[in-house]
Amino acid sequence: MNVRSFRLSDYVAVNGLLEQVLSEVCYQETKDALAKQLSWDSDLVLIAVEEEQVVGVIIGTIDNNKGYYYRIAVHAEHRRKGIGKALIHSLKQRFEQRKVSRILITVDEHNEPILPVYESAGWFERDFARMAERRLSIMA
């Protein structure tokens, strides 16, 4: 498994993965946020590839010198193999290279169920940015 930066040629596979893995409402929000993040800074969108197949994606963003994990998705057949953790760690490295002042995990109704993945990757409750709105205002 390899984690690398998003490439334009990955768009169809990433979109398909998001549509397959996320609920319809979450997919619509994430699709819009992905498009905006790609136009702002595509280096904060990472994908996991296994045998030339996109098996995972993580979307991050930076706002006011803070790095935010926005959304992560791993193909159902490839879960519990460390792909989510690898994506989380790789994006953390990107944030650290950018020297953000703090890194937070965006918590909305869609991310709540996967917080244990972040916790198993070494993150704590204090790192969770609970959103009053359904999505980050910077992603809106």
Side-chain angles (χ1 to χ4, degrees):
M1 191 264 310
N2 179 40
V3 175
R4 64 169 171 77
S5 296
F6 175 90
R7 298 178 188 152
L8 187 55
S9 60
D10 297 321
Y11 185 79
V12 171
V14 167
N15 189 56
L17 173 67
L18 293 172
E19 188 173 23
Q20 182 181 29
V21 171
L22 304 176
S23 70
E24 187 175 334
V25 172
C26 183
Y27 167 70
Q28 290 300 323
E29 290 177 11
T30 302
K31 184 176 78 165
D32 294 344
L34 172 64
K36 287 179 181 166
Q37 185 58 39
L38 290 174
S39 72
W40 293 335
D41 188 350
S42 63
D43 284 340
L44 296 178
V45 178
L46 303 178
I47 64 164
V49 178
E50 193 168 276
E51 297 179 15
E52 299 184 35
Q53 178 187 5
V54 173
V55 296
V57 61
I58 192 164
I59 303 166
T61 194
I62 296 175
D63 184 41
N64 292 324
N65 201 38
K66 291 181 184 160
Y68 290 90
Y69 290 97
Y70 175 68
R71 190 78 71 223
I72 187 170
V74 175
H75 191 283
E77 294 176 9
H78 295 274
R79 292 184 185 151
R80 303 207 181 277
K81 296 181 180 179
I83 293 170
K85 285 183 188 177
L87 287 165
I88 290 167
H89 290 301
S90 294
L91 186 55
K92 180 182 179 191
Q93 290 175 336
R94 296 280 170 103
F95 288 144
E96 289 172 344
Q97 290 169 351
R98 304 279 184 95
K99 301 187 184 328
V100 298
S101 62
R102 185 153 185 224
I103 303 171
L104 298 163
I105 294 98
T106 304
V107 180
D108 60 15
E109 64 186 291
H110 308 298
N111 280 348
E112 194 78 42
I114 63 155
L115 293 182
V117 175
Y118 286 101
E119 291 169 339
S120 71
W123 295 93
F124 301 96
E125 177 70 29
R126 69 178 179 267
D127 303 312
F128 300 156
R130 299 197 183 275
M131 299 289 116
E133 298 176 16
R134 293 179 62 160
R135 54 190 162 159
L136 279 172
S137 61
I138 56 176
M139 300 294 268

